[in-house]
């Protein structure tokens, strides 16, 4: 009986593998082609697409000149701007999100349900729908082409507040009540009890803030098009000029832009998965 079950499990595993391998190849094919194209001369990027042969996936003229050209130009400043903007968006945005989530989860004040409903609606409305009128307001306030103009809209991320609130609701309220009886203020309860218990959810919320800000294109294009504050996604679009497109450099810039969030996601993936699985827990 055991041998029969083992044989059946092996067959099931082989069938799963036969399905998983083609799906995995199809999933990584665009990324693989982008990586291969980034180490080809620009004129060779589309040369071997039809008919498909071994040259389609193996560069005949391997070169790193695309990366060297990209890093020696203005794109390196754009990449640095993206890092600076993402850093301040995550650090300041986490502070705002954690305090707002704590207030919505633990404090009893008039209109709390209304505030929570507005917060939920805020991340369901597509940002593109309000980007243009919001950019006009920022321009009137003198925030165009500034880091503050890039960072401020990311500080009130409704999804991060929602996830942290769900986790805070899972922490026993008796802990906070006991701390209050011992004389701690509400901010003390937040800082000394809730924050130390929320490392995983905070990392998950930080990753959400980082990814939202890192891949943002429309807002930086509207509010900060100047070269000295231009971020990486907007700089990638600049490789398409009226005189032509250097696809080799464009793919190299795209790969460089993808490496930083990829490393962060791989490093913090365990915390991110854990925070997602515990955000809906209850006392």
């Amino acid at each position: 009986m055991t041998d029969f079950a083992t044989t059946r499990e092996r067959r099931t595993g082989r069938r799963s593998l036969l399905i998983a391998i083609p799906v995995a190849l199809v999933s990584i094919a665009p990324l693989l082609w982008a990586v291969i194209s980034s180490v080809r001369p620009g004129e060779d990027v589309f040369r071997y697409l039809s008919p498909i042969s071994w040259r389609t996936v193996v560069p005949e003229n391997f070169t790193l000149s695309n990366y060297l050209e990209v890093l020696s130009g203005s794109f390196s400043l754009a990449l640095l701007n993206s890092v600076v903007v993402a850093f301040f968006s995550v650090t300041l945005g986490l502070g705002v999100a954690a305090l707002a989530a704590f207030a919505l989860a633990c404090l009893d004040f008039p209109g709390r349900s209304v505030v929570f409903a507005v917060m939920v609606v805020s991340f369901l409305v597509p940002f593109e729908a309000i980007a243009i009128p919001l950019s006009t307001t920022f321009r009137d306030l003198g925030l165009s082409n500034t880091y503050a103009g890039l960072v401020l809209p990311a500080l009130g991320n409704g999804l991060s507040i929602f996830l942290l609130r769900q986790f805070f609701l899972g922490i026993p309220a008796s802990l906070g009540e006991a701390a209050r009886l011992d004389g701690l203020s509400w901010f003390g309860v937040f800082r000394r009890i809730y924050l130390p218990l929320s490392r995983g959810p905070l990392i998950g919320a930080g990753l959400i803030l980082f990814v939202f800000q890192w891949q943002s294109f429309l807002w930086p294009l509207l509010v900060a098009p100047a070269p000295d504050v231009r971020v990486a996604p907007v700089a990638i679009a600049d490789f398409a000029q009226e005189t032509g497109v250097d696809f080799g450099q464009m793919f190299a810039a795209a790969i460089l832009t993808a490496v930083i969030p990829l490393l962060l996601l791989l490093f913090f993936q365990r915390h991110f998965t854990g925070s997602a699985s515990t955000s809906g827990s209850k006392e």
Side-chain angles (χ1 to χ4, degrees):
M1 185 67 181
T2 304
D3 293 340
F4 176 75
T6 304
T7 303
R8 190 171 62 177
E9 288 177 359
R10 288 177 179 172
R11 287 177 180 174
T12 303
R14 289 170 185 166
R15 289 172 186 168
S16 302
L17 198 60
L18 288 176
I19 297 174
I21 290 176
V23 171
L25 289 176
V26 170
S27 301
I28 67 171
L31 177 61
L32 181 63
W33 191 69
V35 173
I36 294 171
S37 299
S38 69
V39 293
R40 278 178 164 152
E43 60 273 16
D44 286 355
V45 170
F46 298 104
R47 177 176 296 177
Y48 303 109
L49 279 182
S50 180
I52 295 178
S53 65
W54 64 271
R55 291 179 178 174
T56 306
V57 294
V58 179
E60 186 178 20
N61 300 313
F62 181 88
T63 178
L64 294 177
S65 61
N66 292 325
Y67 287 95
L68 297 177
E69 290 289 335
V70 165
L71 291 175
S72 62
S74 60
F75 183 77
S76 55
L77 176 60
L79 200 60
L80 179 61
N81 286 334
S82 284
V83 173
V84 172
V85 171
F87 173 78
F88 284 105
S89 298
V90 171
T91 53
L92 299 177
L94 266 185
V96 172
L99 286 170
F102 177 77
L104 289 170
C106 304
L107 303 184
D108 188 16
F109 57 89
R112 185 175 69 167
S113 299
V114 175
V115 174
F116 177 66
V118 171
M119 185 271 298
V120 172
V121 171
S122 70
F123 70 82
L124 297 178
V125 176
F127 183 74
E128 289 77 6
I130 61 172
I132 292 179
L134 190 62
S135 67
T136 303
T137 303
F138 270 57
R139 193 178 302 115
D140 294 341
L141 294 173
L143 294 174
S144 294
N145 294 318
T146 63
Y147 290 113
L150 289 168
V151 171
L152 281 176
L155 299 188
N157 188 281
L159 181 57
S160 298
I161 297 173
F162 176 80
L163 291 176
L164 288 174
R165 174 187 175 274
Q166 292 303 104
F167 180 81
F168 288 160
L169 287 175
I171 297 176
S174 55
L175 291 177
E177 293 170 358
R180 290 284 293 164
L181 291 176
D182 287 341
L184 271 183
S185 63
W186 278 116
F187 184 74
V189 173
F190 167 73
R191 185 174 64 85
R192 301 182 66 173
I193 296 179
Y194 279 72
L195 279 187
L197 294 173
S198 310
R199 181 182 177 187
L202 286 172
I203 291 175
L207 286 174
I208 290 173
L209 288 168
F210 178 84
V211 172
F212 269 76
Q213 185 62 275
W214 188 264
Q215 65 183 9
S216 178
F217 174 78
L218 178 60
W219 179 251
L221 182 66
L222 290 172
V223 80
D228 55 339
V229 290
R230 188 177 298 160
V231 295
V234 179
I236 291 175
D238 289 344
F239 284 100
Q241 303 290 337
E242 293 182 358
T243 55
V245 182
D246 191 324
F247 286 102
Q249 292 188 19
M250 180 180 284
F251 279 117
I255 295 300
L256 288 172
T257 306
V259 165
I260 294 177
L262 176 64
L263 293 177
L264 284 177
L265 287 172
L266 290 176
F267 186 77
F268 290 113
Q269 61 176 334
R270 180 170 58 86
H271 299 285
F272 181 75
T273 305
S275 67
S277 62
T278 57
S279 293
S281 62
K282 301 290 183 184
E283 183 178 1

